[in-house]
Amino acid sequence: MASASAIGKLSREEFRRQKDLEAARKAGTAPAALDEEGKPINPHIPQYISQAPWYLDTGAPSLSHQRRQENEDSANKLNEWYDRGAKAGPAAKKYRKGACENCGAMTHKKVDCLERPRKKGAKYTNDNIQADEVVQDIAVGYAAKRDRWNGYDPAEHKAIYEEYAAVDAARQKLREEEIDNQTTTDLAAVRKVAKAGKGEGKERDADFGSSDEEDADEDKYADAADAVGQKLDAKTRITVRNLRIREDTAKYLINLDPDSAYYDPKTRSMRDAPNKNIPAEEARFAGDNFFRYSGEAPEVQQLQLFAWQAAARGNDVHLNANPTQGELLHQEFKEKKEELKDKSKISILAKYGGAQYLESAPKELLHGQTENYVEYSRTGQVIKGRERAKARSKYPEDVFVNNHTAIWGSWYDSSTATWGYACCHSIVHLSYCSGSAGIAAAQASSAQHLLASASASQSAPMSSSEPLVNQEDSSVLHSEQNYSKKRVGDGDVKLDKDRLAQALLDEKKRKLGEGSDERTSKKRKGVLESSSHDVTEEELEAYRMTRRMTEDPMANYVDSETF
């Protein structure tokens, strides 16, 4: 099967013929494709296996790229390198044309010659002509080309060992001479020299002593070393515990936020966790209350409470004076309590029955319900029991980005029916917050403000006695009533008395002019076309006030009696 790179881009007809040929080969009605060796290729092999990559593509159907490539002498090629300093045959006796003018070799020029520059070169003296170097052309592979140790002779590293061995031998000889020059009868020095003489030919330390002696000395001095956070006296074996290991971080330095958990400097305690957003199991320090109610601490508190209650009843139990007695008495008390509970349970079931109702499913399976009792104080603190863990959301909450002080979706623009930020009234998600300036710009670019400004500029100038502020407020209010998305007449409607009177007058004129001639109707039509086609609140109210309620049965009733 030829690869796609060799075939190139196929036309629709060629692609269809190729698919038909593949289907025929899989069905057995067409002969299978042959590789370069003449072997048939299984048509059921997937395309990602039969198709060769671009760097191994030969343009013909083949599976050779899936077989192991045969590299001739791959192990030898990896270690092949240039033979340094190799000479090709004996040196010439006479200078040859084109050779190096300095040494007379034919394999390089004068500028590339590595021999010391002569006062008169071999070109002029014909003396001491050097032999030609062996120029090798080694075709290395990918790994050999990038091997930083390729061509390195391990025998060169032996010189480093020999140098260090010579230095150790000289140091040993010097110390032997110093001991011989001393006229002492110290038994330890004699033993050290004797052991040094017996240990010749073996690896020895620089001080002529064995490693076992040094280990013994280290153990001797290690007893006097202080442990971390402790002061240990090796003679009296008294351990003095410091207040705090200095490598630990103080509780008040874990979270420097002043609104974090309270730290009592007198007792050096921090009851709450300094970092609320980190789980207690993963936090470095989760508060003193977490340690107080975790591990074996609750058991110790129960034991202390039992000792106090037993002492209050007249028993001679003191947990600090005799902790073993208190532990045994507490264990005996719990066993007796369990026996009494079992006896009372058996007696009640034997008398009243109902043992089958006690064999119920676990609490976790009963629709997630539980009978755990939790009691809260007036301030919302847990007094008794354990509070149910709050469900954590997998999405980040209250995350402010781009200088915003409110989250996305905290503000809704009713005029454009879009969501945005309440801090700047921006409706573009992940935009940069501009604060009050953005709110003013959003109000200035709104449709109501633009239409109000356009209507104010086109309307007739107001009288000099009317303030300009009232004019702008009335125009903005009028535009909001006319161009907002609310239905006309809905909600809290504010009507202008002057506009309402004018609308009533126009409505009466319209009804009176309904039966006039065609000329009057054409004139009125031209007036309506020139005016605004939008209905204001005042016009709607005038229409409601002047229309006839035909469906009202009391609309045409006239009382003849006078009162």
Side-chain angles (χ1 to χ4, degrees), residues 165-439:
V167 172
D168 292 341
R171 186 182 294 112
Q172 177 183 354
K173 186 176 181 181
L174 180 62
R175 292 187 179 180
E176 288 178 356
E177 292 177 356
E178 291 179 356
I179 293 175
D180 293 340
N181 294 333
Q182 293 177 358
T183 56
T184 178
T185 58
D186 190 1
L187 185 58
V190 175
R191 290 178 178 175
K192 186 177 293 187
V193 173
K195 289 183 179 180
K198 292 180 181 179
E200 289 183 358
K202 300 181 181 179
E203 295 181 358
R204 289 172 292 177
D205 296 337
D207 296 333
F208 302 118
S210 62
S211 58
D212 298 335
E213 288 184 353
E214 291 187 355
D215 295 341
D217 295 340
E218 291 178 359
D219 295 339
K220 180 177 66 176
Y221 292 112
D223 293 339
D226 293 340
V228 177
Q230 294 181 353
K231 293 182 179 180
L232 179 64
D233 190 356
K235 297 180 179 179
T236 59
R237 295 292 179 183
I238 298 176
T239 302
V240 180
R241 178 71 181 181
N242 291 340
L243 295 177
R244 178 176 60 84
I245 300 176
R246 296 304 173 185
E247 286 80 1
D248 293 347
T249 304
K251 302 175 185 177
Y252 52 85
L253 295 179
I254 296 177
N255 190 356
L256 300 179
D257 189 5
D259 296 332
S260 61
Y262 173 74
Y263 174 76
D264 187 11
K266 185 175 182 179
T267 59
R268 297 183 180 181
S269 61
M270 181 180 288
R271 295 174 178 83
D272 296 333
N275 296 322
K276 298 289 185 180
N277 55 347
I278 301 178
E281 296 79 11
E282 301 176 4
R284 181 172 54 180
F285 175 73
D288 294 336
N289 288 341
F290 176 75
F291 294 107
R292 188 174 299 171
Y293 297 104
S294 62
E296 298 180 355
E299 299 178 1
V300 176
Q301 294 179 1
Q302 294 177 4
L303 181 60
Q304 182 66 55
L305 181 61
F306 168 75
W308 289 340
Q309 292 176 354
R313 295 189 184 96
N315 299 324
D316 189 10
V317 179
H318 196 282
L319 189 61
N320 296 332
N322 196 347
T324 306
Q325 180 188 8
E327 179 70 19
L328 293 176
L329 290 176
H330 187 218
Q331 186 176 1
E332 184 180 355
F333 168 77
K334 290 191 295 184
E335 293 176 358
K336 289 183 178 180
K337 185 177 180 181
E338 292 294 331
E339 292 177 1
L340 291 175
K341 184 185 293 186
D342 294 340
K343 289 181 180 179
S344 62
K345 180 179 179 181
I346 293 172
S347 62
I348 292 173
L349 291 176
K351 185 175 182 180
Y352 299 102
Q356 64 275 11
Y357 300 105
L358 300 177
E359 299 176 358
S360 59
K363 294 181 180 180
E364 294 80 7
L365 301 179
L366 295 175
H367 306 288
Q369 298 179 0
T370 179
E371 295 182 359
N372 294 334
Y373 177 76
V374 182
E375 185 177 348
Y376 297 88
S377 63
R378 292 183 178 180
T379 59
Q381 302 293 332
V382 178
I383 299 177
K384 188 175 182 181
R386 292 187 177 181
E387 189 177 9
R388 185 177 181 182
K390 297 180 180 179
R392 297 181 180 178
S393 174
K394 66 178 181 179
Y395 302 102
E397 298 179 0
D398 297 335
V399 178
F400 305 115
V401 296
N402 294 338
N403 202 27
H404 286 286
T405 57
I407 61 173
W408 169 260
S410 57
W411 176 70
Y412 180 75
D413 189 2
S414 59
S415 60
T416 58
T418 54
W419 294 96
Y421 296 96
C423 54
C424 60
H425 288 190
S426 175
I427 60 175
V428 180
H429 186 49
L430 297 179
S431 62
Y432 194 81
C433 182
S434 54
S436 57
I439 298 176

Side-chain angles (χ1 to χ4, degrees), residues 71-82 138-141 143-145 147 150-151:
N71 296 327
E72 296 180 357
D73 300 334
S74 59
N76 297 333
K77 287 185 178 180
L78 185 62
N79 297 325
E80 285 184 358
W81 201 247
Y82 302 99
I138 299 177
V140 295
K145 185 188 296 184
D147 186 10
N150 197 354

Side-chain angles (χ1 to χ4, degrees), residues 456-476:
S457 61
Q458 293 177 3
S459 61
M462 301 294 291
S463 60
S464 59
S465 61
E466 185 178 1
L468 185 60
V469 179
N470 298 335
Q471 177 184 357
E472 292 181 356
D473 295 343
S474 62
S475 62
V476 171

